[in-house]
């Protein structure tokens, strides 16, 4: 009984190992490692630079190393026919080809497609959508266009209507577009310009003289010759260079502010000046609108004459 128990455990263990070997994940991992081993040289050439990390010994993103270190037995193992069969890619049917492949996915149209009759389902789907009864009852007329009365249909146009219906005639002085005066020959259109013509066709390069490069801001715009710098002006040139003089009777403008004298600061106004300095008293407008003589000029004011002093003060200041 004791000997039968280990045999049962060995059989269960062997079944578990067989199941693990036949698992798709293990088959896929072995196939990937075998492919990596066969292309070891290509991986070495295509492998990017590894980034060394002093504090973190974990896997660095971007390299081609596996997460777990494979044993020597796994590296030298040969796949079984079952593993090779499972590792083959799945064949795609011609009916479901990828659009990114080189073969065209557009299928040729058969002659029966152009000459066959549509089915009852297609005829039913092609019928226009019918209006609902509630919508037809709310419409003011049966057609989107206005109905034409029989009298308008049988009406005969008058001579004036026929005259207005004629298309507009062209102006009597209208001229058709003229043809091209000269026709370019085919030889001239296909001709190639020589190097001499190309050189003559280049635009003329003019030197810019309004400004000069590599100069300091205080420099003149146009250079002055040495003879102009050493020239001596003539008496006539000096006479013309003098500034224009002002008129002998010219009086400059008076300042907006001028000093007030000490006597004017300490002057005392007379009673008459105080009386004249008081503002004019006018009645309010609510009382002036009822006064008939509010805006009339007195007869004495019309016959008054101003004194010589008032005339002198009324004259504008000469500047």
């Amino acid at each position: 009984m004791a000997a039968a128990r280990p045999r049962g455990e060995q059989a269960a263990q062997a079944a578990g190992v067989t199941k693990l070997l036949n698992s798709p994940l293990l088959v896929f991992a072995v196939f990937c490692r075998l492919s990596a081993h066969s292309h070891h040289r290509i991986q070495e050439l295509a492998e990017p630079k590894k980034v060394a990390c002093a504090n973190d010994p974990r896997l660095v993103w971007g390299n081609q190393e596996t997460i777990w270190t494979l044993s020597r037995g796994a590296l030298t193992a040969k796949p079984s026919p079952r593993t090779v069969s499972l590792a083959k890619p799945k064949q795609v049917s011609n009916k479901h080809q990828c659009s990114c492949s080189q073969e065209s996915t557009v299928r040729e149209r058969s002659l029966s497609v152009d000459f066959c009759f549509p089915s009852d389902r297609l005829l039913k789907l092609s019928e226009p959508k019918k209006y609902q009864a509630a919508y037809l009852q709310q419409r003011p007329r049966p057609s989107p266009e206005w109905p034409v009365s029989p009298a308008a249909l049988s009406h005969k146009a008058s001579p004036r209507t026929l005259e207005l219906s004629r298309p507009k005639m062209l102006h009597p002085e209208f001229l058709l577009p003229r043809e091209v005066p000269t026709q370019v020959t085919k030889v001239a259109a296909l001709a190639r310009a020589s190097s001499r013509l190309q050189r003559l066709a280049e635009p003329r390069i003019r030197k810019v003289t309004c400004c000069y490069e590599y100069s300091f801001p205080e420099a003149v715009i146009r250079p002055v010759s040495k003879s102009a710098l050493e020239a001596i002006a003539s008496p006539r040139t000096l006479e013309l260079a003098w500034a224009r003089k002002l008129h002998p009777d010219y009086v400059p403008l008076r300042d907006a502010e001028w000093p007030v004298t000490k006597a004017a600061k300490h002057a005392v106004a007379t009673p008459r000046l105080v009386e004249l300095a008081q503002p004019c008293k006018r009645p309010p407008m609510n009382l002036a609108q009822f006064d008939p003589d509010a805006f009339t000029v007195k007869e004495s004011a019309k016959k008054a004459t101003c004194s010589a002093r008032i005339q002198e003060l009324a004259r504008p200041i000469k500047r």
Side-chain angles (χ1 to χ4, degrees):
M1 191 71 182
R5 189 173 182 181
R7 292 180 181 177
E9 292 179 358
Q10 290 180 0
Q13 187 176 3
V17 171
T18 305
K19 185 177 180 181
L20 180 62
L21 292 175
N22 293 331
S23 62
L25 293 177
L26 183 61
V27 172
F28 179 75
V30 172
F31 174 75
C32 292
R33 187 57 192 175
L34 290 175
S35 301
H37 181 68
S38 61
H39 300 282
H40 183 66
R41 181 58 180 168
I42 299 176
Q43 290 181 0
E44 288 181 355
L45 296 176
E47 186 176 1
K49 255 187 178 181
K50 297 182 180 180
V51 181
C53 186
N55 299 329
D56 194 358
R58 293 180 298 176
L59 183 66
V60 181
W61 178 264
N63 58 13
Q64 298 179 358
E65 294 181 359
T66 56
I67 300 178
W68 293 281
T69 305
L70 299 178
S71 61
R72 188 180 183 88
L75 294 175
T76 57
K78 294 183 179 180
S80 61
R82 176 61 178 168
T83 305
V84 175
S85 176
L86 293 175
K88 292 181 180 179
K90 186 178 179 181
Q91 295 182 357
V92 182
S93 176
N94 295 332
K95 298 182 180 180
H96 306 284
Q97 290 183 355
C98 181
S99 59
C100 59
S101 61
Q102 296 181 358
E103 298 181 1
S104 176
T105 58
V106 180
R107 293 174 294 178
E108 297 182 357
R109 293 171 56 88
S110 59
L111 297 177
S112 60
V113 176
D114 298 332
F115 297 99
C116 66
F117 293 96
S119 61
D120 298 338
R121 177 61 177 169
L122 291 177
L123 293 175
K124 183 178 179 180
L125 293 175
S126 63
E127 293 179 359
K129 188 177 181 180
K130 298 180 180 180
Y131 295 102
Q132 296 182 3
Y135 172 73
L136 295 175
Q137 293 177 2
Q138 295 178 0
R139 295 179 64 184
R141 49 184 179 270
S143 175
E145 299 180 358
W146 287 271
V148 184
S149 61
L153 294 174
S154 60
H155 176 71
K156 293 184 179 180
S158 61
R160 177 58 178 169
T161 304
L162 295 176
E163 181 182 358
L164 294 175
S165 63
R166 293 175 185 173
K168 189 176 181 180
M169 302 296 293
L170 297 177
H171 196 269
E173 299 180 0
F174 173 75
L175 298 177
L176 295 174
R178 293 182 296 179
E179 297 181 357
V180 180
T182 55
Q183 298 291 338
V184 182
T185 61
K186 189 176 181 179
V187 179
L190 301 177
R192 293 184 179 181
S194 60
S195 58
R196 173 63 177 170
L197 290 178
Q198 291 180 0
R199 186 165 59 87
L200 293 174
E202 293 179 357
R204 185 178 179 182
I205 301 175
R206 301 180 182 274
K207 187 177 181 180
V208 180
T209 57
C210 61
C211 57
Y212 296 89
E213 297 181 356
Y214 307 107
S215 61
F216 49 91
E218 292 80 5
V220 293
I221 297 177
R222 299 179 183 273
V224 184
S225 61
K226 188 176 181 181
S227 58
L229 294 174
E230 298 176 355
I232 299 175
S234 61
R236 178 58 179 169
T237 305
L238 295 175
E239 182 182 357
L240 293 174
W242 290 343
R244 187 177 180 182
K245 296 182 180 180
L246 297 174
H247 194 271
D249 299 336
Y250 173 75
V251 179
L253 297 176
R254 192 174 62 176
D255 296 337
E257 297 180 0
W258 56 88
V260 183
T261 60
K262 189 175 181 179
K265 292 180 180 179
H266 296 280
V268 180
T270 60
R272 177 60 179 167
L273 289 176
V274 175
E275 182 182 356
L276 293 174
Q278 292 179 0
C280 183
K281 295 181 181 181
R282 295 184 176 86
M285 290 302 298
N286 55 355
L287 298 179
Q289 62 182 351
F290 298 106
D291 187 6
D293 300 332
F295 301 99
T296 57
V297 183
K298 298 180 181 179
E299 295 295 333
S300 58
K302 295 178 181 180
K303 300 177 182 179
T305 55
C306 58
S307 61
R309 178 59 178 167
I310 295 178
Q311 290 183 358
E312 182 182 357
L313 295 175
R315 293 174 183 172
I317 300 175
K318 294 181 180 181
R319 302 183 184 276

mmCIF file with all atom_site columns, all heavy atoms in Angstrom, residues 9-29:
data_model
loop_
_atom_site.group_PDB
_atom_site.id
_atom_site.type_symbol
_atom_site.label_atom_id
_atom_site.label_alt_id
_atom_site.label_comp_id
_atom_site.label_asym_id
_atom_site.label_entity_id
_atom_site.label_seq_id
_atom_site.pdbx_PDB_ins_code
_atom_site.Cartn_x
_atom_site.Cartn_y
_atom_site.Cartn_z
_atom_site.occupancy
_atom_site.B_iso_or_equiv
_atom_site.pdbx_formal_charge
_atom_site.auth_seq_id
_atom_site.auth_comp_id
_atom_site.auth_asym_id
_atom_site.auth_atom_id
_atom_site.pdbx_PDB_model_num
ATOM 1   N N   . GLU A 1 9  ? 1.529  9.221  -7.095  1.00 0.00 ? 9  GLU A N   1
ATOM 2   C CA  . GLU A 1 9  ? 2.007  10.606 -7.108  1.00 0.00 ? 9  GLU A CA  1
ATOM 3   C C   . GLU A 1 9  ? 2.914  10.844 -8.302  1.00 0.00 ? 9  GLU A C   1
ATOM 4   O O   . GLU A 1 9  ? 2.869  11.925 -8.932  1.00 0.00 ? 9  GLU A O   1
ATOM 5   C CB  . GLU A 1 9  ? 2.772  10.872 -5.810  1.00 0.00 ? 9  GLU A CB  1
ATOM 6   C CG  . GLU A 1 9  ? 1.881  10.864 -4.578  1.00 0.00 ? 9  GLU A CG  1
ATOM 7   C CD  . GLU A 1 9  ? 2.684  11.119 -3.303  1.00 0.00 ? 9  GLU A CD  1
ATOM 8   O OE1 . GLU A 1 9  ? 3.926  11.257 -3.425  1.00 0.00 ? 9  GLU A OE1 1
ATOM 9   O OE2 . GLU A 1 9  ? 2.064  11.200 -2.230  1.00 0.00 ? 9  GLU A OE2 1
ATOM 10  N N   . GLN A 1 10 ? 3.742  9.843  -8.664  1.00 0.00 ? 10 GLN A N   1
ATOM 11  C CA  . GLN A 1 10 ? 4.605  10.003 -9.828  1.00 0.00 ? 10 GLN A CA  1
ATOM 12  C C   . GLN A 1 10 ? 3.791  10.111 -11.110 1.00 0.00 ? 10 GLN A C   1
ATOM 13  O O   . GLN A 1 10 ? 4.107  10.893 -12.012 1.00 0.00 ? 10 GLN A O   1
ATOM 14  C CB  . GLN A 1 10 ? 5.569  8.809  -9.905  1.00 0.00 ? 10 GLN A CB  1
ATOM 15  C CG  . GLN A 1 10 ? 6.627  8.788  -8.812  1.00 0.00 ? 10 GLN A CG  1
ATOM 16  C CD  . GLN A 1 10 ? 7.539  7.597  -8.925  1.00 0.00 ? 10 GLN A CD  1
ATOM 17  O OE1 . GLN A 1 10 ? 7.387  6.767  -9.840  1.00 0.00 ? 10 GLN A OE1 1
ATOM 18  N NE2 . GLN A 1 10 ? 8.493  7.491  -7.982  1.00 0.00 ? 10 GLN A NE2 1
ATOM 19  N N   . ALA A 1 11 ? 2.720  9.352  -11.193 1.00 0.00 ? 11 ALA A N   1
ATOM 20  C CA  . ALA A 1 11 ? 1.873  9.424  -12.397 1.00 0.00 ? 11 ALA A CA  1
ATOM 21  C C   . ALA A 1 11 ? 1.201  10.788 -12.512 1.00 0.00 ? 11 ALA A C   1
ATOM 22  O O   . ALA A 1 11 ? 1.123  11.377 -13.589 1.00 0.00 ? 11 ALA A O   1
ATOM 23  C CB  . ALA A 1 11 ? 0.824  8.298  -12.354 1.00 0.00 ? 11 ALA A CB  1
ATOM 24  N N   . ALA A 1 12 ? 0.744  11.330 -11.351 1.00 0.00 ? 12 ALA A N   1
ATOM 25  C CA  . ALA A 1 12 ? 0.102  12.660 -11.381 1.00 0.00 ? 12 ALA A CA  1
ATOM 26  C C   . ALA A 1 12 ? 1.101  13.736 -11.741 1.00 0.00 ? 12 ALA A C   1
ATOM 27  O O   . ALA A 1 12 ? 0.813  14.679 -12.494 1.00 0.00 ? 12 ALA A O   1
ATOM 28  C CB  . ALA A 1 12 ? -0.533 12.940 -10.016 1.00 0.00 ? 12 ALA A CB  1
ATOM 29  N N   . GLN A 1 13 ? 2.324  13.577 -11.202 1.00 0.00 ? 13 GLN A N   1
ATOM 30  C CA  . GLN A 1 13 ? 3.371  14.560 -11.519 1.00 0.00 ? 13 GLN A CA  1
ATOM 31  C C   . GLN A 1 13 ? 3.744  14.507 -12.992 1.00 0.00 ? 13 GLN A C   1
ATOM 32  O O   . GLN A 1 13 ? 3.972  15.514 -13.649 1.00 0.00 ? 13 GLN A O   1
ATOM 33  C CB  . GLN A 1 13 ? 4.594  14.302 -10.635 1.00 0.00 ? 13 GLN A CB  1
ATOM 34  C CG  . GLN A 1 13 ? 5.671  15.376 -10.774 1.00 0.00 ? 13 GLN A CG  1
ATOM 35  C CD  . GLN A 1 13 ? 6.821  15.144 -9.825  1.00 0.00 ? 13 GLN A CD  1
ATOM 36  O OE1 . GLN A 1 13 ? 6.832  14.133 -9.095  1.00 0.00 ? 13 GLN A OE1 1
ATOM 37  N NE2 . GLN A 1 13 ? 7.783  16.042 -9.839  1.00 0.00 ? 13 GLN A NE2 1
ATOM 38  N N   . ALA A 1 14 ? 3.835  13.307 -13.536 1.00 0.00 ? 14 ALA A N   1
ATOM 39  C CA  . ALA A 1 14 ? 4.145  13.157 -14.967 1.00 0.00 ? 14 ALA A CA  1
ATOM 40  C C   . ALA A 1 14 ? 3.044  13.744 -15.840 1.00 0.00 ? 14 ALA A C   1
ATOM 41  O O   . ALA A 1 14 ? 3.300  14.408 -16.858 1.00 0.00 ? 14 ALA A O   1
ATOM 42  C CB  . ALA A 1 14 ? 4.354  11.680 -15.297 1.00 0.00 ? 14 ALA A CB  1
ATOM 43  N N   . ALA A 1 15 ? 1.791  13.578 -15.415 1.00 0.00 ? 15 ALA A N   1
ATOM 44  C CA  . ALA A 1 15 ? 0.676  14.170 -16.184 1.00 0.00 ? 15 ALA A CA  1
ATOM 45  C C   . ALA A 1 15 ? 0.723  15.691 -16.140 1.00 0.00 ? 15 ALA A C   1
ATOM 46  O O   . ALA A 1 15 ? 0.473  16.382 -17.130 1.00 0.00 ? 15 ALA A O   1
ATOM 47  C CB  . ALA A 1 15 ? -0.661 13.640 -15.639 1.00 0.00 ? 15 ALA A CB  1
ATOM 48  N N   . GLY A 1 16 ? 1.087  16.247 -14.963 1.00 0.00 ? 16 GLY A N   1
ATOM 49  C CA  . GLY A 1 16 ? 1.198  17.714 -14.850 1.00 0.00 ? 16 GLY A CA  1
ATOM 50  C C   . GLY A 1 16 ? 2.311  18.266 -15.720 1.00 0.00 ? 16 GLY A C   1
ATOM 51  O O   . GLY A 1 16 ? 2.181  19.326 -16.339 1.00 0.00 ? 16 GLY A O   1
ATOM 52  N N   . VAL A 1 17 ? 3.453  17.525 -15.758 1.00 0.00 ? 17 VAL A N   1
ATOM 53  C CA  . VAL A 1 17 ? 4.576  17.977 -16.599 1.00 0.00 ? 17 VAL A CA  1
ATOM 54  C C   . VAL A 1 17 ? 4.193  17.923 -18.063 1.00 0.00 ? 17 VAL A C   1
ATOM 55  O O   . VAL A 1 17 ? 4.498  18.831 -18.856 1.00 0.00 ? 17 VAL A O   1
ATOM 56  C CB  . VAL A 1 17 ? 5.828  17.134 -16.304 1.00 0.00 ? 17 VAL A CB  1
ATOM 57  C CG1 . VAL A 1 17 ? 6.935  17.433 -17.315 1.00 0.00 ? 17 VAL A CG1 1
ATOM 58  C CG2 . VAL A 1 17 ? 6.318  17.378 -14.880 1.00 0.00 ? 17 VAL A CG2 1
ATOM 59  N N   . THR A 1 18 ? 3.510  16.850 -18.455 1.00 0.00 ? 18 THR A N   1
ATOM 60  C CA  . THR A 1 18 ? 3.074  16.741 -19.860 1.00 0.00 ? 18 THR A CA  1
ATOM 61  C C   . THR A 1 18 ? 2.107  17.861 -20.226 1.00 0.00 ? 18 THR A C   1
ATOM 62  O O   . THR A 1 18 ? 2.177  18.453 -21.309 1.00 0.00 ? 18 THR A O   1
ATOM 63  C CB  . THR A 1 18 ? 2.413  15.382 -20.084 1.00 0.00 ? 18 THR A CB  1
ATOM 64  O OG1 . THR A 1 18 ? 3.314  14.344 -19.689 1.00 0.00 ? 18 THR A OG1 1
ATOM 65  C CG2 . THR A 1 18 ? 2.045  15.190 -21.549 1.00 0.00 ? 18 THR A CG2 1
ATOM 66  N N   . LYS A 1 19 ? 1.207  18.181 -19.315 1.00 0.00 ? 19 LYS A N   1
ATOM 67  C CA  . LYS A 1 19 ? 0.263  19.271 -19.574 1.00 0.00 ? 19 LYS A CA  1
ATOM 68  C C   . LYS A 1 19 ? 0.965  20.606 -19.678 1.00 0.00 ? 19 LYS A C   1
ATOM 69  O O   . LYS A 1 19 ? 0.635  21.468 -20.499 1.00 0.00 ? 19 LYS A O   1
ATOM 70  C CB  . LYS A 1 19 ? -0.787 19.295 -18.460 1.00 0.00 ? 19 LYS A CB  1
ATOM 71  C CG  . LYS A 1 19 ? -1.882 20.313 -18.694 1.00 0.00 ? 19 LYS A CG  1
ATOM 72  C CD  . LYS A 1 19 ? -2.930 20.242 -17.588 1.00 0.00 ? 19 LYS A CD  1
ATOM 73  C CE  . LYS A 1 19 ? -4.030 21.266 -17.834 1.00 0.00 ? 19 LYS A CE  1
ATOM 74  N NZ  . LYS A 1 19 ? -5.040 21.224 -16.757 1.00 0.00 ? 19 LYS A NZ  1
ATOM 75  N N   . LEU A 1 20 ? 2.000  20.801 -18.826 1.00 0.00 ? 20 LEU A N   1
ATOM 76  C CA  . LEU A 1 20 ? 2.750  22.051 -18.868 1.00 0.00 ? 20 LEU A CA  1
ATOM 77  C C   . LEU A 1 20 ? 3.564  22.181 -20.154 1.00 0.00 ? 20 LEU A C   1
ATOM 78  O O   . LEU A 1 20 ? 3.680  23.258 -20.733 1.00 0.00 ? 20 LEU A O   1
ATOM 79  C CB  . LEU A 1 20 ? 3.680  22.123 -17.651 1.00 0.00 ? 20 LEU A CB  1
ATOM 80  C CG  . LEU A 1 20 ? 4.554  23.386 -17.530 1.00 0.00 ? 20 LEU A CG  1
ATOM 81  C CD1 . LEU A 1 20 ? 3.659  24.617 -17.397 1.00 0.00 ? 20 LEU A CD1 1
ATOM 82  C CD2 . LEU A 1 20 ? 5.488  23.278 -16.329 1.00 0.00 ? 20 LEU A CD2 1
ATOM 83  N N   . LEU A 1 21 ? 4.119  21.043 -20.624 1.00 0.00 ? 21 LEU A N   1
ATOM 84  C CA  . LEU A 1 21 ? 4.896  21.087 -21.873 1.00 0.00 ? 21 LEU A CA  1
ATOM 85  C C   . LEU A 1 21 ? 4.018  21.365 -23.077 1.00 0.00 ? 21 LEU A C   1
ATOM 86  O O   . LEU A 1 21 ? 4.455  21.967 -24.057 1.00 0.00 ? 21 LEU A O   1
ATOM 87  C CB  . LEU A 1 21 ? 5.655  19.764 -22.059 1.00 0.00 ? 21 LEU A CB  1
ATOM 88  C CG  . LEU A 1 21 ? 6.787  19.488 -21.075 1.00 0.00 ? 21 LEU A CG  1
ATOM 89  C CD1 . LEU A 1 21 ? 7.363  18.092 -21.304 1.00 0.00 ? 21 LEU A CD1 1
ATOM 90  C CD2 . LEU A 1 21 ? 7.889  20.541 -21.219 1.00 0.00 ? 21 LEU A CD2 1
ATOM 91  N N   . ASN A 1 22 ? 2.781  20.904 -23.038 1.00 0.00 ? 22 ASN A N   1
ATOM 92  C CA  . ASN A 1 22 ? 1.865  21.112 -24.161 1.00 0.00 ? 22 ASN A CA  1
ATOM 93  C C   . ASN A 1 22 ? 1.125  22.448 -24.080 1.00 0.00 ? 22 ASN A C   1
ATOM 94  O O   . ASN A 1 22 ? 0.269  22.723 -24.922 1.00 0.00 ? 22 ASN A O   1
ATOM 95  C CB  . ASN A 1 22 ? 0.854  19.964 -24.238 1.00 0.00 ? 22 ASN A CB  1
ATOM 96  C CG  . ASN A 1 22 ? 1.521  18.649 -24.609 1.00 0.00 ? 22 ASN A CG  1
ATOM 97  O OD1 . ASN A 1 22 ? 2.549  18.641 -25.296 1.00 0.00 ? 22 ASN A OD1 1
ATOM 98  N ND2 . ASN A 1 22 ? 0.941  17.546 -24.156 1.00 0.00 ? 22 ASN A ND2 1
ATOM 99  N N   . SER A 1 23 ? 1.423  23.278 -23.063 1.00 0.00 ? 23 SER A N   1
ATOM 100 C CA  . SER A 1 23 ? 0.708  24.569 -22.935 1.00 0.00 ? 23 SER A CA  1
ATOM 101 C C   . SER A 1 23 ? 1.173  25.523 -24.032 1.00 0.00 ? 23 SER A C   1
ATOM 102 O O   . SER A 1 23 ? 2.342  25.542 -24.420 1.00 0.00 ? 23 SER A O   1
ATOM 103 C CB  . SER A 1 23 ? 0.977  25.181 -21.560 1.00 0.00 ? 23 SER A CB  1
ATOM 104 O OG  . SER A 1 23 ? 2.354  25.446 -21.413 1.00 0.00 ? 23 SER A OG  1
ATOM 105 N N   . PRO A 1 24 ? 0.286  26.353 -24.581 1.00 0.00 ? 24 PRO A N   1
ATOM 106 C CA  . PRO A 1 24 ? 0.665  27.287 -25.662 1.00 0.00 ? 24 PRO A CA  1
ATOM 107 C C   . PRO A 1 24 ? 1.670  28.328 -25.210 1.00 0.00 ? 24 PRO A C   1
ATOM 108 O O   . PRO A 1 24 ? 2.511  28.766 -25.989 1.00 0.00 ? 24 PRO A O   1
ATOM 109 C CB  . PRO A 1 24 ? -0.668 27.931 -26.065 1.00 0.00 ? 24 PRO A CB  1
ATOM 110 C CG  . PRO A 1 24 ? -1.724 26.994 -25.578 1.00 0.00 ? 24 PRO A CG  1
ATOM 111 C CD  . PRO A 1 24 ? -1.165 26.352 -24.337 1.00 0.00 ? 24 PRO A CD  1
ATOM 112 N N   . LEU A 1 25 ? 1.613  28.754 -23.950 1.00 0.00 ? 25 LEU A N   1
ATOM 113 C CA  . LEU A 1 25 ? 2.530  29.788 -23.486 1.00 0.00 ? 25 LEU A CA  1
ATOM 114 C C   . LEU A 1 25 ? 3.967  29.300 -23.521 1.00 0.00 ? 25 LEU A C   1
ATOM 115 O O   . LEU A 1 25 ? 4.887  30.015 -23.948 1.00 0.00 ? 25 LEU A O   1
ATOM 116 C CB  . LEU A 1 25 ? 2.148  30.236 -22.069 1.00 0.00 ? 25 LEU A CB  1
ATOM 117 C CG  . LEU A 1 25 ? 0.813  30.960 -21.939 1.00 0.00 ? 25 LEU A CG  1
ATOM 118 C CD1 . LEU A 1 25 ? 0.530  31.277 -20.470 1.00 0.00 ? 25 LEU A CD1 1
ATOM 119 C CD2 . LEU A 1 25 ? 0.830  32.252 -22.754 1.00 0.00 ? 25 LEU A CD2 1
ATOM 120 N N   . LEU A 1 26 ? 4.185  28.036 -23.052 1.00 0.00 ? 26 LEU A N   1
ATOM 121 C CA  . LEU A 1 26 ? 5.536  27.488 -23.066 1.00 0.00 ? 26 LEU A CA  1
ATOM 122 C C   . LEU A 1 26 ? 6.039  27.287 -24.486 1.00 0.00 ? 26 LEU A C   1
ATOM 123 O O   . LEU A 1 26 ? 7.201  27.546 -24.807 1.00 0.00 ? 26 LEU A O   1
ATOM 124 C CB  . LEU A 1 26 ? 5.564  26.175 -22.287 1.00 0.00 ? 26 LEU A CB  1
ATOM 125 C CG  . LEU A 1 26 ? 6.947  25.500 -22.160 1.00 0.00 ? 26 LEU A CG  1
ATOM 126 C CD1 . LEU A 1 26 ? 7.913  26.425 -21.433 1.00 0.00 ? 26 LEU A CD1 1
ATOM 127 C CD2 . LEU A 1 26 ? 6.825  24.170 -21.434 1.00 0.00 ? 26 LEU A CD2 1
ATOM 128 N N   . VAL A 1 27 ? 5.165  26.827 -25.372 1.00 0.00 ? 27 VAL A N   1
ATOM 129 C CA  . VAL A 1 27 ? 5.556  26.642 -26.772 1.00 0.00 ? 27 VAL A CA  1
ATOM 130 C C   . VAL A 1 27 ? 5.952  27.969 -27.392 1.00 0.00 ? 27 VAL A C   1
ATOM 131 O O   . VAL A 1 27 ? 6.937  28.085 -28.116 1.00 0.00 ? 27 VAL A O   1
ATOM 132 C CB  . VAL A 1 27 ? 4.404  25.979 -27.555 1.00 0.00 ? 27 VAL A CB  1
ATOM 133 C CG1 . VAL A 1 27 ? 4.715  25.955 -29.054 1.00 0.00 ? 27 VAL A CG1 1
ATOM 134 C CG2 . VAL A 1 27 ? 4.181  24.559 -27.047 1.00 0.00 ? 27 VAL A CG2 1
ATOM 135 N N   . PHE A 1 28 ? 5.176  29.008 -27.122 1.00 0.00 ? 28 PHE A N   1
ATOM 136 C CA  . PHE A 1 28 ? 5.478  30.326 -27.683 1.00 0.00 ? 28 PHE A CA  1
ATOM 137 C C   . PHE A 1 28 ? 6.797  30.883 -27.144 1.00 0.00 ? 28 PHE A C   1
ATOM 138 O O   . PHE A 1 28 ? 7.605  31.459 -27.871 1.00 0.00 ? 28 PHE A O   1
ATOM 139 C CB  . PHE A 1 28 ? 4.332  31.290 -27.362 1.00 0.00 ? 28 PHE A CB  1
ATOM 140 C CG  . PHE A 1 28 ? 4.544  32.679 -27.873 1.00 0.00 ? 28 PHE A CG  1
ATOM 141 C CD1 . PHE A 1 28 ? 4.410  32.965 -29.221 1.00 0.00 ? 28 PHE A CD1 1
ATOM 142 C CD2 . PHE A 1 28 ? 4.918  33.699 -27.005 1.00 0.00 ? 28 PHE A CD2 1
ATOM 143 C CE1 . PHE A 1 28 ? 4.627  34.233 -29.694 1.00 0.00 ? 28 PHE A CE1 1
ATOM 144 C CE2 . PHE A 1 28 ? 5.133  34.965 -27.486 1.00 0.00 ? 28 PHE A CE2 1
ATOM 145 C CZ  . PHE A 1 28 ? 4.992  35.240 -28.812 1.00 0.00 ? 28 PHE A CZ  1
ATOM 146 N N   . ALA A 1 29 ? 7.073  30.668 -25.824 1.00 0.00 ? 29 ALA A N   1
ATOM 147 C CA  . ALA A 1 29 ? 8.318  31.164 -25.236 1.00 0.00 ? 29 ALA A CA  1
ATOM 148 C C   . ALA A 1 29 ? 9.527  30.435 -25.814 1.00 0.00 ? 29 ALA A C   1
ATOM 149 O O   . ALA A 1 29 ? 10.554 31.046 -26.124 1.00 0.00 ? 29 ALA A O   1
ATOM 150 C CB  . ALA A 1 29 ? 8.276  30.993 -23.718 1.00 0.00 ? 29 ALA A CB  1
#
